[in-house]
Amino acid sequence: MQRRDWLEYAALASATIGLPKLGYSVDRRASTRPYLDLALDAARWIERSRQTTDRGPVYPANPLDPTSVGLDFYNGMPGVTAFHAALAYATGAPAWLDAAEAGADSLVRLVDQTDRIDAGLYTGLAGLAYTCDCVAAAGGARRHHEAAVRLTARITAAARRDASGARWSESWDIISGAAGTGLYLLEAGRARGDRALVDLAGQAGHALLAAARPRESGLMWYPAEHFNRNYPNFSHGTSGVGYFLASLYRATRERAFLEGALAAARYLDAVAARDGNGIKVFHQDGGGENRFYLSWCHGPPGTARLFYRLSQITGEARWSTWIDGLTNAVFDSGAPERRSAGYWDNISQCCGNVGIGQYCIDLIRWRPTAGTEALLERVVDDTRRRATKDDTGLRWIQAENRTQPDNLVAQTGFMQGAAGVGMFYLQLDALQRGAAWPFPLPDTPWVAG
């Protein structure tokens, strides 16, 4: 099953440090904020795809396919709108805030006209609510905060409660399921002082505990109730569910959630491959046990989040050792220059360069090391080399899916396109200036500044 197939399936069911030298020649001379310039070039290309409709401006995921306008944060228009909001915050330019507000207004109109949308963080209502939160935080009108509150209420109303807890679909994972939706509810509950949202997230946690499968001295989770293929890492499996349970414990101090997170960590420890100082967890069962991804979805940048959260909670050094092992596996892989079965022609947040680069930023903010800074420099340079730059702006032509290497497309979205790369550049800009990052995704535990 391709990731796009899965998305459709689920929807229907420190001070400035020594950062990389800029290898990309921007149009502006002697720029003091070169990463911001790169983000603006990516935004300029995205703007070329904008369409005007009776519901407002929309942005197709694939500019060559005007029908590819989506409401999902993964590929669709919400990620573009969140990027516009971050640009508005970074630049102070009213034009970008106008674009973010117009995009949010269009999204609200579109989602109000459909009931065929799930509650997922990367596929549905939770991602849309996060997008409206971003626009409000960037200086948007009161209506955008109110839209986020209404979308959250819609998530609450859609919850299906039973004796085991609460859920929204048969999905359990970070992408579309209870774990990702629960993470948004936790963040919204904290930000708004709304205990009912935290309680609903806790009910989702209890449903996840009931759905766990005992395995290898711990617990594991499949992506969905009737989808029994094991993807043990972050986006679809045990690492992501364990991270949500650990986050629930941090918010509620309910011991069952910590026990579930620790059981997830025991399972991952039992199945992990160790090579020298490196630790890595296989992509999937049923033929992918010897394939190791390297980015957010199925690789160390995502899986490390569980162990970082456990380190925050317990203060135990063993979890930091796990993070070091995962990071060493990325170092030893030769990425981003060396391609492999789990690291193909992709530069994006989910599966490629920028997911590794974002992980480097997170590690540097937490605990700077020369090795991490050097890897970040290589990621920036390789991403620059693979860009297409012309008078329309900056874009990246890539293969979204590993099993479709010839399907090469330049996309606009967040997890698979220019908006996500642009957001990476904005985070580099903030890091270079010693500034906090004001738009953390609900699924990240890393310090923002």
Side-chain angles (χ1 to χ4, degrees):
M1 180 175 282
Q2 303 299 330
R3 184 175 303 277
R4 183 67 60 83
D5 296 333
W6 168 257
L7 296 175
E8 293 173 357
Y9 164 81
L12 294 173
S14 32
T16 302
I17 63 166
L19 279 176
K21 299 179 180 68
L22 184 71
Y24 175 75
S25 178
V26 295
D27 295 333
R28 306 153 190 84
R29 294 183 178 229
S31 173
T32 59
R33 297 176 67 180
Y35 297 116
L36 175 60
D37 293 339
L38 288 168
L40 288 166
D41 277 343
R44 190 157 55 90
W45 178 76
I46 292 171
E47 282 303 294
R48 296 280 298 224
S49 72
R50 182 178 57 181
Q51 302 172 21
T52 301
T53 73
D54 57 359
R55 297 177 183 87
V58 296
Y59 295 83
N62 176 2
L64 301 179
D65 178 6
T67 68
S68 62
V69 176
L71 295 178
D72 60 292
F73 194 86
Y74 187 91
N75 286 105
M77 184 173 155
V80 172
T81 301
F83 175 43
H84 285 156
L87 271 174
Y89 186 91
T91 64
W96 293 119
L97 183 58
D98 290 346
E101 290 191 297
D105 292 341
S106 293
L107 287 168
V108 170
R109 293 187 193 102
L110 288 165
V111 76
D112 282 347
Q113 295 171 9
T114 182
D115 57 3
R116 293 177 63 83
I117 185 168
D118 67 18
L121 180 58
Y122 285 93
T123 59
L125 294 170
L128 286 158
Y130 164 77
T131 300
C132 290
D133 285 333
C134 288
V135 176
R142 177 71 183 175
R143 67 181 182 275
H144 301 113
H145 170 73
E146 293 169 349
V149 171
R150 289 199 310 276
L151 290 164
T152 307
R154 190 165 165 180
I155 295 171
T156 300
R160 304 190 326 229
R161 298 170 174 86
D162 58 27
S164 69
R167 60 189 301 179
W168 290 265
S169 69
E170 69 173 49
S171 299
W172 300 122
D173 66 2
I174 292 289
I175 289 276
S176 65
T181 303
L183 286 170
Y184 177 74
L185 291 173
L186 277 182
E187 178 56 28
R190 181 201 63 78
R192 300 171 198 165
D194 189 340
R195 187 67 197 184
L197 298 180
V198 177
D199 290 344
L200 180 54
Q203 293 175 49
H206 283 296
L208 281 162
L209 289 173
R213 307 289 183 95
R215 197 73 58 85
E216 304 285 352
S217 77
L219 294 175
M220 60 81 62
W221 284 262
Y222 290 116
E225 185 173 0
H226 297 108
F227 189 78
N228 293 337
R229 176 169 292 173
N230 182 12
Y231 297 91
N233 289 284
F234 191 73
S235 65
H236 289 313
T238 299
S239 172
V241 173
Y243 170 71
F244 170 54
L245 293 173
S247 299
L248 267 175
Y249 172 76
R250 195 166 182 249
T252 67
R253 294 295 157 176
E254 190 170 338
R255 186 73 189 183
F257 297 139
L258 178 58
E259 292 298 334
L262 291 170
R266 287 198 302 275
Y267 167 74
L268 293 167
D269 188 64
V271 302
R274 289 170 168 83
D275 182 10
N277 293 321
I279 302 175
K280 50 192 177 182
V281 178
F282 66 90
H283 173 219
Q284 65 176 73
D285 64 6
E289 291 87 352
N290 293 316
R291 182 169 55 242
F292 299 95
Y293 278 33
L294 294 174
S295 197
W296 172 90
C297 55
H298 300 293
T303 299
R305 296 179 181 200
L306 167 60
F307 298 97
Y308 180 73
R309 183 65 91 207
L310 289 173
S311 175
Q312 287 178 308
I313 291 169
T314 69
E316 295 176 2
R318 58 176 170 153
W319 307 124
S320 295
T321 300
W322 243 94
I323 297 168
D324 291 341
L326 290 165
T327 305
N328 288 336
V330 180
F331 289 163
D332 294 344
S333 72
E337 298 87 359
R338 184 188 301 163
R339 299 287 143 181
S340 67
Y343 194 69
W344 63 97
D345 186 14
N346 186 289
I347 54 80
S348 290
Q349 289 271 0
C350 178
C351 314
N353 283 27
V354 175
I356 293 177
Q358 179 61 58
Y359 182 49
C360 290
I361 292 174
D362 295 333
L363 291 173
I364 288 167
R365 285 191 180 275
W366 171 50
R367 190 178 62 188
T369 68
T372 306
E373 293 171 22
L375 177 58
L376 179 58
E377 179 172 355
R378 288 165 45 212
V379 168
V380 170
D381 188 56
D382 188 70
T383 305
R384 181 268 309 168
R385 284 198 303 267
R386 298 177 64 195
T388 299
K389 171 74 186 326
D390 55 28
D391 59 2
T392 68
L394 197 60
R395 64 191 183 278
W396 289 263
I397 301 168
Q398 62 165 23
E400 176 177 341
N401 295 305
R402 172 182 58 83
T403 57
Q404 296 177 325
D406 297 325
N407 185 11
L408 299 172
V409 180
Q411 295 171 262
T412 63
F414 193 89
M415 295 304 283
Q416 292 288 352
V421 182
M423 197 76 93
F424 166 63
Y425 286 137
L426 289 180
Q427 289 217 42
L428 281 170
D429 174 69
L431 183 64
Q432 190 173 49
R433 293 183 293 110
W437 178 247
F439 304 103
L441 279 155
D443 64 0
T444 182
W446 301 99
V447 293

